[in-house]
């Protein structure tokens, strides 16, 4: 497709699960040719629920999303004696692989050996703790990566019961973070290779470091003041929290005093708003558990959308807590053409998230369905890379 920034760039995705798959998805939609190299049993991502099932076929919904615009090849020796891996690496610009270090080495992807054989190759490894260091060989689940990066220890925040444990964010958000950082680093390495006259390099992405880079002010609390931040404590803002309205959960807060006064007026100036326990922002925060049910009782006749529009007109900070259905029907996302329909001859047409950003002069490649395992194994290397 004309105008795509990475047209002609060849990327081999040999990762397992989310990180490499998301990095290569981003680059594929920007024009790169991406071949997904899988072991004979397939990427474990294909066994990640929930599943879509039809006419005796089953597929992971996450894999159908992450592997769009790619081709799938199963890693087996070819008839000519040259390994599938070798024939692909010979023409690849970038290899992106994720998983723990020991597993990557067991699968035969040693960056030093690869660079010795293919000196112009860029090898991106996305591992839980990075390629070097005392914990480089450790395996990690999503929960462990979240804890190791410091995210888990401060989540969910403002928890008033120390008996309740830390709370991990849904899904595999750490792996997604590793994928985004891997994609950015791969692009930087491509530019750097041009400046070095074509010499490749190893790009070592640590998911722990990715997460530790996103902890906002929590490090500085310690480095400046020696103060340890925690998931426990009380917010200094009230009201603050989620209430239940006629059709779903709804977030509301009043940071400034004038916002509180406008909310009280919107609620019809109830008597309880004058109670001493709600006399200022700090008292309202201290008594937030008593305050939020009173606010909910005053708003729960409204739908989330009605409450959002009416409170927004009063300049009160609030938001529906979007469900998947609410996202899909969002007029804002529809106007930005965020969702795309992807046709699949087995599973039918389905709607997927599309481009997470817009570029004023550069298109996002139209999505094509994710490949079946080994669907393109019989193709020649030239055909896989789209070489005429």
């Amino acid at each position: 497709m004309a105008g795509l920034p990475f047209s002609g760039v060849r990327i081999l995705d040999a990762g397992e699960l989310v990180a490499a798959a998301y990095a290569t998805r981003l680059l594929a939609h920007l024009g790169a040719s991406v071949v997904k190299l899988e072991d004979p049993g397939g990427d474990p991502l294909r066994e990640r629920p929930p599943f879509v099932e039809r006419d005796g076929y089953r597929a992971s919904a996450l894999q159908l999303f992450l592997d769009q615009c790619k081709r799938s090849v199963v890693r087996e020796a070819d008839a000519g004696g040259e390994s599938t891996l070798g024939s692909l690496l010979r023409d690849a610009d970038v290899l992106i692989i994720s998983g723990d270090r020991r597993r990557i080495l067991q699968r035969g992807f040693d960056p030093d050996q690869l660079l010795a054989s293919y000196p112009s190759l860029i090898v991106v490894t996305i591992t839980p703790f990075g390629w070097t260091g005392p914990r480089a060989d450790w395996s990690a689940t999503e929960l462990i990566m979240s804890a190791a990066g410091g995210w888990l220890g401060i989540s969910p925040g403002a928890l008033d019961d120390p008996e309740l444990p830390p709370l991990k964010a849904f899904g595999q958000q750490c792996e997604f973070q590793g994928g985004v950082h891997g994609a950015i680093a791969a692009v930087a390495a491509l530019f750097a290779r041009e400046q070095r006259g074509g010499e490749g390099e190893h790009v070592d992405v640590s998911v722990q470091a990715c997460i530790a880079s996103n902890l906002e002010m929590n490090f500085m609390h310690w480095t400046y003041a020696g103060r340890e931040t925690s998931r426990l404590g009380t917010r200094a803002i009230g009201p603050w929290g989620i209430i239940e309205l006629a059709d779903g959960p709804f977030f509301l807060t009043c940071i400034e005093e004038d916002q509180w006064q406008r909310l009280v007026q919107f609620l019809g100036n109830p008597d309880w708003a004058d109670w001493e326990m709600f006399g200022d922002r700090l008292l309202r925060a201290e008594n937030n558990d008593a305050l939020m049910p009173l606010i909910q009782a005053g708003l729960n006749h409204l739908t989330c959308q009605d409450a959002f529009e009416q409170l927004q007109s009063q300049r009160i900070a609030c938001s529906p807590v979007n469900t998947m259905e609410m996202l899909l029907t969002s007029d804002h996302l529809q106007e930005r053409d965020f969702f795309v329909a992807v046709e699949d001859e087995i599973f039918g047409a389905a709607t997927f998230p599309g481009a997470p950003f817009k570029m004023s002069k550069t298109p996002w490649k139209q999505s094509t369905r994710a490949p079946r395992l080994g669907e393109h194994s019989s193709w020649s290397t030239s055909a896989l890379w789209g070489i005429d």
Side-chain angles (χ1 to χ4, degrees):
M1 183 176 178
L4 292 171
F6 297 132
S7 293
V9 174
R10 302 161 194 162
I11 296 177
L12 187 59
D13 171 0
E16 293 184 328
L17 294 174
V18 171
Y22 190 56
T24 53
R25 170 187 160 81
L26 292 172
L27 298 171
H29 279 90
L30 291 170
S33 296
V34 177
V35 174
K36 185 180 181 73
L37 181 69
E38 304 184 68
D39 290 344
D43 183 348
L45 175 64
R46 294 182 181 275
E47 298 302 319
R48 166 72 152 76
F51 298 105
V52 179
E53 299 188 39
R54 183 168 296 179
D55 299 332
Y57 292 92
R58 189 186 79 162
S60 161
L62 183 59
Q63 187 264 331
L64 291 176
F65 165 68
L66 288 174
D67 285 340
Q68 290 171 5
C69 295
K70 302 177 187 178
R71 291 162 179 154
S72 171
V73 171
V74 172
R75 185 182 176 184
E76 294 175 316
D78 62 23
E82 186 179 19
S83 73
T84 310
L85 175 62
S87 63
L88 289 168
L89 288 175
R90 187 181 56 212
D91 296 320
D93 295 295
V94 181
L95 165 68
I96 301 182
I97 185 166
S98 57
D100 68 74
R101 184 177 182 270
R102 285 186 300 174
R103 170 70 177 158
I104 290 173
L105 290 172
Q106 287 170 357
R107 297 178 65 213
F109 295 102
D110 183 322
D112 291 338
Q113 293 180 7
L114 290 168
L115 288 171
S117 300
Y118 309 95
S120 64
L121 184 66
I122 293 164
V123 181
V124 180
T125 55
I126 307 172
T127 57
F129 298 97
W131 201 256
T132 61
R135 297 176 181 82
D137 281 334
W138 285 17
S139 299
T141 63
E142 180 72 18
L143 184 63
I144 292 171
M145 286 187 280
S146 178
W151 189 4
L152 190 63
I154 56 175
S155 299
L159 192 64
D160 59 3
D161 184 352
E163 297 298 320
L164 294 174
L167 185 65
K168 183 184 82 65
F170 168 80
Q172 293 169 276
Q173 300 303 315
C174 295
E175 286 221 34
F176 274 95
Q177 284 289 325
V180 171
H181 286 77
I184 294 171
V187 172
L190 283 167
F191 278 102
R193 187 178 70 170
E194 292 300 313
Q195 296 169 359
R196 287 193 301 269
E199 181 187 11
E201 66 176 310
H202 175 202
V203 177
D204 169 10
V205 178
S206 157
V207 176
Q208 180 189 32
C210 295
I211 300 306
S213 300
N214 297 338
L215 297 179
E216 301 183 18
M217 72 298 185
N218 291 287
F219 268 129
M220 279 59 77
H221 271 296
W222 177 258
T223 56
Y224 277 109
R227 187 165 54 241
E228 185 71 75
T229 54
S230 166
R231 73 186 190 284
L232 306 174
T234 302
R235 295 188 190 281
I237 299 170
W240 192 103
I242 296 173
I243 56 178
E244 194 69 24
L245 299 190
D247 61 345
F250 187 82
F251 174 78
L252 180 144
T253 187
C254 293
I255 299 172
E256 305 290 346
E257 181 63 24
D258 64 307
Q259 294 174 344
W260 165 250
Q261 294 300 331
R262 288 196 295 276
L263 175 63
V264 170
Q265 187 175 11
F266 183 86
L267 293 170
N269 297 303
D271 293 342
W272 53 259
D274 294 327
W275 294 351
E276 184 178 353
M277 64 188 297
F278 303 139
D280 61 31
R281 172 174 60 86
L282 296 177
L283 286 169
R284 291 191 289 272
E286 184 178 338
N287 297 293
N288 197 58
D289 284 352
L291 176 59
M292 295 307 289
L294 295 170
I295 296 174
Q296 176 173 293
L299 296 175
N300 61 9
H301 62 288
L302 297 172
T303 65
C304 291
Q305 187 61 32
D306 287 344
F308 179 52
E309 293 174 358
Q310 294 178 35
L311 291 171
Q312 186 188 48
S313 71
Q314 302 298 313
R315 294 185 292 122
I316 297 168
C318 61
S319 174
V321 181
N322 283 336
T323 63
M324 298 304 102
E325 181 181 7
M326 292 163 74
L327 280 175
L328 282 168
T329 57
S330 163
D331 57 348
H332 182 79
L333 291 175
Q334 288 181 0
E335 184 169 319
R336 286 179 58 81
D337 297 322
F338 174 63
F339 291 108
V340 296
V342 178
E343 183 67 36
D344 186 306
E345 57 270 38
I346 292 178
F347 301 107
T351 301
F352 291 87
F357 48 79
K358 284 183 173 290
M359 301 169 71
S360 62
K361 297 183 184 301
T362 307
W364 172 265
K365 186 177 180 180
Q366 184 175 357
S367 295
T368 56
R369 70 161 175 81
R372 323 289 181 222
L373 175 61
E375 180 176 346
H376 306 95
S377 291
S378 63
W379 288 26
S380 68
T381 304
S382 296
L384 287 169
W385 291 131
I387 302 172
D388 294 330

